[in-house]
Amino acid sequence: MKLLKPIFFLLLIGSLTITSCESDPLPVYPGNIIQIDTVFVEGVNLTYPTFSGSNTSDDRFYAFSGGNTNDLSSMSGEDWTYETWIKVDSDALIGDRNAVSGKDANGACIMERGRNFELYLIDDANADFAIKYNRLDSDNIAVGTMQSDESNINLKFNEWAHVAISRSSSDNTAKFYINGVLIDSSEDDLWIQPVNDTWLDFNYMYRSGNMNFYKGSFDNIRVSYVDRYPSSFTPDQFERFVVDSNTLLQMDLDENLTPFDPVNSFDKVEIKGVYGYYIQVVNTVFWTSEDYTIPSN
């Protein structure tokens, strides 16, 4: 890492020099900054964040909902898709699959919206871990559950997996997919999401002071206004999503870091889609990637 720091500082100085040459002052962003404090590591043909170590509490990040037309408040409760790629570390918290809700299960949180839904890790007798998807009420208690431990999907540590939840108003069906395989579905109206919540959280759930931090990696996060997956599909981690009018928030998590404000010395991750806020990178170390040829079928 000592060899990489001089390179990073040269890149940082270069970016600050370019910024300082601009004739116009930097604009003051009117929204809320979304923070992430982590280290980004080398991937195959991409880069992605990895959360590891004895304490990953500073690695949490979230998307903000403040009642605006270009944030999470603009989502319908009946049509949506949330998806991401994850690679779970063997040190991650694995929760009790029989516990009612995430706060009692003590499993590491992948993604959640308070008083809405939660996705977290649970134990699986036939695999390293499984994933549980709960619909939450106003007290963050699960009123509906889908979980993968009884499916044919057996998840392993340090292997990439695609996780997606979606719903369509056309058939009133909510669905839970892992690696494109339908784990469970329901036509019950309880899976219609409320639209008056606040944040979309990654890597933690806040439940009366209990925060179940995640250890592992994220890649290719996308939130959509529509049901992207009406049926089973084959996900491809190396395929970058095409941004369309139904893309609310997309984070490729590639090496597209740009300076936000040289005075405060932090960068931002590129965000695509309608979403109008930023992800702030506090602990940037070094960005790199390597060439990768996708194997032919």
Side-chain angles (χ1 to χ4, degrees):
M1 186 58 67
K2 291 182 178 179
L3 295 176
L4 297 180
K5 286 184 177 179
I7 300 175
F8 168 71
F9 287 129
L10 288 175
L11 293 174
L12 179 61
I13 293 172
S15 66
L16 297 183
T17 302
I18 294 172
T19 305
S20 64
C21 293
E22 296 177 352
S23 57
D24 297 327
L26 289 172
V28 177
Y29 185 68
N32 291 284
I33 302 302
I34 301 159
Q35 298 188 31
I36 173 174
D37 181 6
T38 187
V39 175
F40 284 67
V41 299
E42 184 175 342
V44 279
N45 68 336
L46 65 163
T47 52
Y48 54 87
T50 291
F51 312 136
S52 61
S54 59
N55 184 1
T56 60
S57 61
D58 289 334
D59 297 334
R60 61 188 186 271
F61 61 106
Y62 57 89
F64 184 73
S65 175
N68 297 317
T69 58
N70 62 352
D71 66 17
L72 295 169
S73 306
S74 62
M75 293 188 71
S76 161
E78 299 190 30
D79 295 275
W80 39 264
T81 303
Y82 301 80
E83 60 187 305
T84 185
W85 285 86
I86 61 168
K87 185 169 65 171
V88 177
D89 190 279
S90 59
D91 291 332
L93 291 171
I94 307 301
D96 178 3
R97 64 179 180 268
N98 296 315
V100 176
S101 298
K103 70 173 183 179
D104 302 314
N106 197 36
C109 181
I110 300 168
M111 182 191 315
E112 68 140 20
R113 291 185 77 174
R115 303 178 300 279
N116 190 322
F117 76 85
E118 59 186 4
L119 281 164
Y120 61 94
L121 307 181
I122 58 172
D123 62 286
D124 187 336
N126 300 316
D128 290 338
F129 65 94
I131 299 174
K132 194 165 186 175
Y133 167 35
N134 287 336
R135 169 72 171 87
L136 303 174
D137 65 11
S138 59
D139 294 319
N140 285 322
I141 301 301
V143 293
T145 293
M146 302 181 189
Q147 55 194 74
S148 70
D149 57 295
E150 295 183 358
S151 73
N152 292 326
I153 296 294
N154 295 321
L155 297 168
K156 297 186 180 299
F157 294 130
N158 300 311
E159 291 185 4
W160 284 105
H162 183 268
V163 183
I165 55 174
S166 69
R167 188 187 186 279
S168 172
S169 60
S170 63
D171 59 6
N172 296 317
T173 302
K175 297 175 290 295
F176 176 29
Y177 295 98
I178 297 180
N179 292 334
V181 177
L182 183 64
I183 300 302
D184 201 352
S185 65
S186 174
E187 297 179 6
D188 196 310
D189 287 345
L190 70 83
W191 296 96
I192 297 175
Q193 294 187 351
V195 295
N196 60 345
D197 63 304
T198 52
W199 304 329
L200 172 62
D201 305 320
F202 298 91
N203 176 38
Y204 76 112
M205 62 175 68
Y206 185 78
R207 300 287 186 271
S208 300
N210 296 322
M211 306 181 81
N212 299 345
F213 296 112
Y214 172 84
K215 291 187 179 183
S217 304
F218 282 99
D219 196 17
N220 298 5
I221 295 170
R222 181 170 66 169
V223 182
S224 303
Y225 289 121
V226 295
D227 179 8
R228 297 280 187 186
Y229 305 116
S231 59
S232 297
F233 59 100
T234 302
D236 181 355
Q237 187 187 4
F238 303 108
E239 177 184 359
R240 284 294 173 253
F241 298 129
V242 176
V243 178
D244 57 28
S245 60
N246 291 311
T247 306
L248 169 61
L249 169 63
Q250 181 172 318
M251 289 183 287
D252 299 338
L253 298 177
D254 284 340
E255 52 186 308
N256 297 315
L257 280 181
T258 56
F260 183 87
D261 183 348
V263 175
N264 293 322
S265 299
F266 61 77
D267 296 330
K268 63 183 180 182
V269 176
E270 181 182 15
I271 289 181
K272 301 176 181 179
V274 174
Y275 191 78
Y277 296 90
Y278 292 98
I279 296 292
Q280 173 185 333
V281 180
V282 180
N283 187 20
T284 308
V285 177
F286 184 72
W287 285 84
T288 186
S289 63
E290 62 184 37
D291 294 331
Y292 181 85
T293 302
I294 300 175
S296 58
N297 293 329

